[in-house]
Amino acid sequence: LNANAIAGTLEITNKGDGSIDLADLLINYYFTKDGGSMVFDCYHAAINSSSGSYTALTDDIDGTFTSCTGEDRDTCLTISFGDGTLDEGDTLTISFSCHRSDWQKMDLSNDWSHKSVENIEIII
């Protein structure tokens, strides 16, 4: 499977008994870089509260790339958040992509996190 970007939308719902400080939340996506320098884009991020309110977060999202080792990975994209709180029952939605700076195709078939949503790590 080849594509010029790794892209997706993640939804994270707080099913716990308390609030989550978004500054403490990290999402790790593991992949094989296939050369070149990488770029992160956040297209949309927001909290949809259980009470029906909407809080835009798109400008408060960062993506950083670090080297790593393991099965079908040499790079980790870590998505982090600025200020905000994910209260009980609220859902955080983030639509993102990462791509090579020259937009050359990447082989997604050898990417750890692309193989299964369970291979995307959420750290609180």
Side-chain angles (χ1 to χ4, degrees):
L1 174 64
N2 290 313
N4 66 355
I6 296 168
T9 298
L10 301 172
E11 289 188 351
I12 300 169
T13 301
N14 181 354
K15 295 182 179 182
D17 292 330
S19 297
I20 297 170
D21 183 348
L22 291 182
D24 296 333
L25 179 68
L26 299 173
I27 300 170
N28 288 331
Y29 188 99
Y30 298 97
F31 65 101
T32 304
K33 187 166 76 166
D34 300 324
S37 61
M38 299 300 296
V39 175
F40 171 78
D41 293 313
C42 177
Y43 301 118
H44 173 261
I47 294 174
N48 293 298
S49 77
S50 57
S51 65
S53 67
Y54 172 91
T55 304
L57 299 173
T58 305
D59 294 336
D60 295 327
I61 308 301
D62 287 316
T64 56
F65 299 95
T66 56
S67 296
C68 66
T69 58
E71 181 182 343
D72 289 332
R73 68 190 108 169
D74 63 14
T75 303
C76 177
L77 163 62
T78 299
I79 301 171
S80 59
F81 304 84
D83 294 331
T85 303
L86 191 64
D87 292 323
E88 183 179 341
D90 291 357
T91 299
L92 168 66
T93 302
I94 177 169
S95 295
F96 72 97
S97 77
C98 67
H99 56 86
R100 290 177 47 180
S101 60
D102 60 6
W103 286 96
Q104 291 296 309
K105 290 194 178 212
M106 299 166 37
D107 178 6
L108 304 183
S109 68
N110 63 354
D111 294 348
W112 178 252
S113 292
H114 188 266
K115 289 181 176 183
S116 171
V117 69
E118 293 176 3
N119 294 343
I120 299 172
E121 183 178 55
I122 299 171
I123 302 169
I124 300 174

